[in-house]
Amino acid sequence: MKKTGFSVIVLIVLIISMPAWACTVTFTGKKASADGSVILSHSDDGLNDARLIHVPAMDHKPGSLRPVFYSHCSLDFKPQWGASETHRIATKTRGPGYQTPGVPPSVPLGYIPQASHTFAYFDANYGIMNEHQLSIAECTDKAKVHPEPEAGKRIFYSAELSRVALERCKTAREAIKLMGELIEQYGYYGTGETLVVADKEEGWVMEMCGYDMNGTGGVWVAQRIPDDRFFVAANQFRIREIRKGAKDMMYSGNVFDVAQQKGWWKPENGPLDWASVYGDGEFHHPYYSLRRVWRAQSLIAPSLNLPAWVEGPFTRRYPFAVKPDNKLDVADIFAIHRDNYEGTEFDLTKGPAAGPFGNPNRFEGQAEGMADKEGRLTPLKGAFERPLNIYRCVYAYVNQSRGWLPDAIGGLTWFGPDRPATAVLMPFYAGATDLPASLQTGNILKFDRGSMWTAFNYVANYAMLKYSFMIKDISAVRNRFEAGAFGRQRALEEQALALWKQGDEASARSLLTRYSEENADAVIREWWKLAELLYVRYNDGYLNTKAGLAQAVFYPSWWLKQVGYENGPTAYEKPVPGK
């Protein structure tokens, strides 16, 4: 009995500690965007550290070593490597943003030689953008092997790789080569990964994984995305045949030998298909990944008339990258991340599971966020559709890299806290000297009115009570802020550029930093006001306005029929089943 109880407790702990691995990334080439910018986006779909941190540029003494820390998002939180469930890194080596009192210091898995100078960048659970407009987005993939970290043997996961690249590189090609060298020299652990890496001119997809639970090193491949194309990845490897000698591809020197040694591929079978040789299909159930790829490609290129149903996980029906029917801008890209399959046969705002008020959120039975089928919270066989917009998203962003502007002005991160459908995109420039405290503060286990994430997460959760009503109120405030930011962008950047051309770069940076801070301050103030408004307006299930208190809002008839309203106590006699 005691042994059984202990096993149950261990299982519960393991379930709780497992991360919800699931993200969506997109890339839009400069010839596919409306203004010629290179656009990259990412949604981090796991309830974990929500902070956006500014890591400043730094100079380092000769002979210095850079610590490489364990990444919680790789497998799960492991207390032996320091930090905490809610704070990914705690260290004095990466600026004030990561100096968090009360959090155990991060313990290095190993060290690499430090660069004499490292660039400033925005960081979250993965690196986002540096001061030279180098930009990165991530999604987790299911590989055949997910090795554990081991000090001095397997010390890198994509999160730390992305940060080292942003600290040292200016172009996507440089970043990929550096990350590839680090994998080969210092070892790779964790899940399979897709990193989309972009600069002012081009974008590449880099995919990587381990191949042996006890081995060192790893394997990786990268493919350039054509400038006139749109790319999307959603928790499944997207690169297919590795073409030897192709100018638009890079790969590790061991990628063919390892596949042969493992018995996963033979040369006589034809070109090595990266996704099927090193990948293990979709991350969870059928269409967990492919539905999002279909939807994103269909939204931006409906003329392709792509099929929603395919023959299997390694289908060829969805191209590596597609040409958009119309040029894309930031709002178009974030609309993809906000999508719940509205208007399709998979519309999550419709049907019994959406409830009477069109709630698109579907809580999961644990296995959806895991690499295997252990730990299900229900014995029933089944699955919900997995949307692009998901309730457990901790943040999302759209990055712009614009080569015709100085890096400090041209690099722009549009950041949205919490789930995209209820988030406001806020602009932060690559040349910023810091980020607002409200974005660098956050703890998912603490209610903090000073935290931007808490404000957005609170409103998003409250909205689930009467979603079809509240989303209209939320969208009205959201749209006002985003329209204002888009509308002020040109004049602001012209003013910053004028200062830059005058040689007053410090004032230009100060202008951009101050603008972003003031905008963010206004957003968090307004969002808490919105939370109060929603509480008052929909108190006790009514609609309460100046036009009248306790205005009744009843359930739709279709829902009443399904939940047995008509079988309620309408007479004194006991109802007879079937009559």
Side-chain angles (χ1 to χ4, degrees), residues 340 342 357-358 360 389 420-423 463-464 466-479 534 538:
N340 297 295
E342 287 90 345
F357 302 117
N389 173 72
T422 51
M464 288 191 281
K466 195 158 282 184
Y467 189 86
S468 60
F469 286 81
M470 294 191 198
I471 192 62
K472 296 175 183 177
D473 298 291
I474 294 170
S475 297
V477 182
R478 180 195 76 196
N479 294 345
L534 294 175
Y538 300 102

Side-chain angles (χ1 to χ4, degrees), residues 166-182:
L166 293 179
E167 290 167 5
R168 304 183 181 195
C169 302
K170 295 182 180 181
T171 71
R173 292 175 190 249
E174 291 174 351
I176 290 168
K177 290 178 181 178
L178 174 60
M179 289 189 287
E181 291 170 358
L182 293 173

Side-chain angles (χ1 to χ4, degrees), residues 100-390:
T100 311
V103 177
S106 295
V107 178
L109 277 166
Y111 296 85
I112 63 172
Q114 182 62 281
S116 60
H117 178 79
T118 50
F119 305 134
Y121 62 101
F122 299 149
D123 189 36
N125 291 313
Y126 307 85
I128 295 177
M129 174 181 273
N130 74 7
E131 61 180 294
H132 296 289
Q133 305 196 58
L134 179 64
S135 180
I136 297 178
E138 177 275 348
C139 78
T140 303
D141 308 310
K142 190 179 182 184
K144 283 186 170 64
V145 179
H146 294 170
E148 292 284 331
E150 185 174 338
K153 190 174 182 180
R154 292 182 298 277
I155 71 171
F156 269 109
Y157 183 64
S158 65
E160 281 286 77
L161 287 171
S162 68
R163 296 179 183 119
V164 175
L166 293 179
E167 290 167 5
R168 304 183 181 195
C169 302
K170 295 182 180 181
T171 71
R173 292 175 190 249
E174 291 174 351
I176 290 168
K177 290 178 181 178
L178 174 60
M179 289 189 287
E181 291 170 358
L182 293 173
I183 290 171
E184 294 164 18
Q185 185 172 356
Y186 295 98
Y188 182 86
Y189 68 89
T191 62
E193 283 287 286
T194 292
L195 293 182
V196 182
V197 189
D199 55 33
K200 295 171 284 189
E201 298 298 324
E202 62 179 3
W204 288 73
V205 180
M206 181 184 188
E207 297 186 324
M208 65 196 72
C209 63
Y211 57 83
D212 191 290
M213 291 299 290
N214 296 310
T216 59
V219 288
W220 62 272
V221 62
Q223 182 172 344
R224 189 182 187 280
I225 307 166
D227 293 337
D228 63 347
R229 294 293 192 270
F230 168 88
F231 170 87
V232 59
N235 303 126
Q236 184 178 11
F237 287 144
R238 296 279 286 121
I239 296 175
R240 304 306 296 264
E241 282 76 22
I242 299 179
R243 292 170 279 110
K244 294 183 179 181
K247 293 182 179 180
D248 64 342
M249 299 199 85
M250 293 183 273
Y251 45 85
S252 58
N254 63 347
V255 70
F256 298 104
D257 291 340
V258 167
Q260 285 184 265
Q261 292 167 8
K262 290 291 184 179
W264 297 339
W265 170 78
K266 297 179 181 179
E268 56 266 31
N269 294 338
L272 191 155
D273 181 344
W274 165 266
S276 64
V277 169
Y278 284 102
D280 195 25
E282 299 194 62
F283 211 87
H284 179 53
H285 56 70
Y287 297 104
Y288 184 84
S289 303
L290 290 176
R291 190 75 77 216
R292 282 176 282 159
V293 172
W294 164 79
R295 180 58 167 165
Q297 291 188 344
S298 296
L299 283 170
I300 62 96
S303 62
L304 295 177
N305 195 28
L306 296 170
W309 301 94
V310 294
E311 67 281 0
F314 300 110
T315 180
R316 301 281 182 165
R317 303 301 297 274
Y318 306 135
F320 173 71
V322 298
K323 187 173 182 178
D325 288 356
N326 299 292
K327 297 295 181 72
L328 304 172
D329 60 20
V330 170
D332 295 325
I333 300 304
F334 215 66
I336 293 171
H337 287 284
R338 285 173 169 151
D339 187 76
N340 297 295
Y341 304 129
E342 287 90 345
T344 75
E345 61 182 294
F346 315 110
D347 194 335
L348 292 172
T349 66
K350 306 295 183 183
F357 302 117
N359 181 6
N361 300 288
R362 302 288 185 272
F363 301 130
E364 297 167 327
Q366 185 59 36
E368 287 86 346
M370 298 173 66
D372 52 41
K373 297 181 180 179
E374 296 178 2
R376 280 186 177 274
L377 301 185
T378 174
L380 297 177
K381 182 178 181 181
F384 288 121
E385 291 284 350
R386 198 295 196 194
L388 288 143
N389 173 72
I390 195 165

